[in-house]
Amino acid sequence: MGFSLTFHYCLFSVMVLLPALCYSQDYFVGSRATYYGSPDCLGTPSGACGFGEYGRTVNDANVAGVSRLYKNGTGCGACYQVRCTNPQLCTDNGVNIVVTDYGEGDNTDFILSPRAYSRMARSDTAAQLFAYGVVDVQYQRIPCRYGGKKLQFKVHEHSRYPSYLAIVILYPAGKNEILAVDIWQEDCKEWIGMRRAYGAVFDMANPPLGDVSLRFQVRGDAGLTWVQAPNIIPSDWKVGVAYESDIQLE
């Protein structure tokens, strides 16, 4: 994300609340937010979630790196409403962001893209808000909305056909977290777990030949469930290509 701020502080008092905050949070929590440098005010393609270019521009580039909300990559793709608490500088609604990276700052939960940070401000107070650098905020988990886009399975750029397959799941709408991904092994007639390589990237060495069928475990408001995507990636898959499914999470 282009920064390397490191601060150590005690999180015990908030960590005990994490099970409730992970996917069913419907109230505001106090925290702090800052922003990172970006020449075009967009996100970064090298974020820890592994989203690449998607992480730069998704949600009109209203994106953020998070610290404890990253949750070893499970928090990637989650959406939050973030609003600063200074009524003279900030709007009541703040900005809706998508988590695309990991980052630590001065006791901050959110390190926002410049575009997202400025959108917390009133129309004529953005410069003053940037001058603060770090501001007190409130945030809550909200459903992700992508204008009807269906779930996509992107073959990550680190993949090497046909010996190594890495994927990242894009546009998971609603308040859902992807916990695990399995791939169907036709000759063994069983599901084989893929490894969470880092962030939102799952991989497997020597994947099965033929069309790729996947299933993924989702945690959301309805609890835990498995969703299947049969033959979602063709046998001659291409690195960098995102394959659209008929699945639309809510």
Side-chain angles (χ1 to χ4, degrees):
M1 182 171 273
F3 53 83
S4 59
L5 302 174
T6 303
F7 294 83
H8 298 285
Y9 47 90
C10 180
L11 291 179
F12 177 80
S13 62
V14 293
M15 288 297 287
V16 296
L17 298 177
L18 269 182
L21 297 178
C22 285
Y23 57 91
S24 61
Q25 178 186 317
D26 56 1
Y27 52 87
F28 282 95
V29 177
S31 185
R32 283 154 59 86
T34 185
Y35 64 94
Y36 59 86
S38 170
D40 55 10
C41 295
L42 305 182
T44 171
S46 58
C49 288
F51 286 139
E53 188 63 22
Y54 169 91
R56 265 176 51 80
T57 57
V58 66
N59 192 40
D60 197 24
N62 293 307
V63 298
V66 293
S67 52
R68 65 189 179 92
L69 298 174
Y70 181 75
K71 293 176 280 186
N72 294 319
T74 302
C76 290
C79 294
Y80 292 90
Q81 180 186 1
V82 183
R83 63 189 188 189
C84 73
T85 58
N86 186 326
Q88 282 72 46
L89 298 180
C90 302
T91 65
D92 293 336
N93 292 328
V95 62
N96 296 341
I97 62 94
V98 178
V99 173
T100 59
D101 204 350
Y102 175 86
E104 295 184 15
D106 183 9
N107 292 326
T108 58
D109 276 314
F110 296 92
I111 303 180
L112 301 166
S113 68
R115 178 170 298 189
Y117 193 82
S118 68
R119 288 185 176 175
M120 291 193 298
R122 297 186 180 277
S123 59
D124 58 347
T125 61
Q128 297 177 60
L129 191 65
F130 276 107
Y132 273 85
V134 178
V135 293
D136 292 329
V137 297
Q138 297 174 329
Y139 71 90
Q140 66 173 345
R141 181 75 185 271
I142 60 173
C144 295
R145 303 293 184 212
Y146 296 112
K149 279 186 177 291
K150 295 181 178 179
L151 216 61
Q152 294 183 12
F153 296 82
K154 180 185 176 183
V155 178
H156 197 271
E157 286 78 3
H158 291 171
S159 299
R160 295 292 180 268
Y161 182 85
S163 60
Y164 173 72
L165 174 63
I167 64 163
V168 58
I169 302 176
L170 309 180
Y171 301 110
K175 290 185 182 180
N176 295 295
E177 295 175 346
I178 309 299
L179 302 183
V181 178
D182 291 352
I183 193 168
W184 178 249
Q185 188 93 25
E186 177 62 28
D187 53 354
C188 300
K189 303 297 182 185
E190 63 179 346
W191 291 101
I192 306 295
M194 300 185 77
R195 178 183 70 121
R196 185 187 289 273
Y198 66 96
V201 180
F202 295 84
D203 69 353
M204 174 177 282
N206 301 311
L209 300 176
D211 293 347
V212 177
S213 295
L214 299 171
R215 72 173 184 178
F216 52 98
Q217 189 180 46
V218 179
R219 178 169 60 196
D221 287 338
L224 290 175
T225 185
W226 284 92
V227 180
Q228 291 192 23
N231 301 324
I232 187 60
I233 299 175
S235 58
D236 59 345
W237 47 265
K238 301 292 190 296
V239 172
V241 175
Y243 297 96
E244 187 174 73
S245 72
D246 291 327
I247 300 168
Q248 195 165 40
L249 296 178
E250 294 296 340

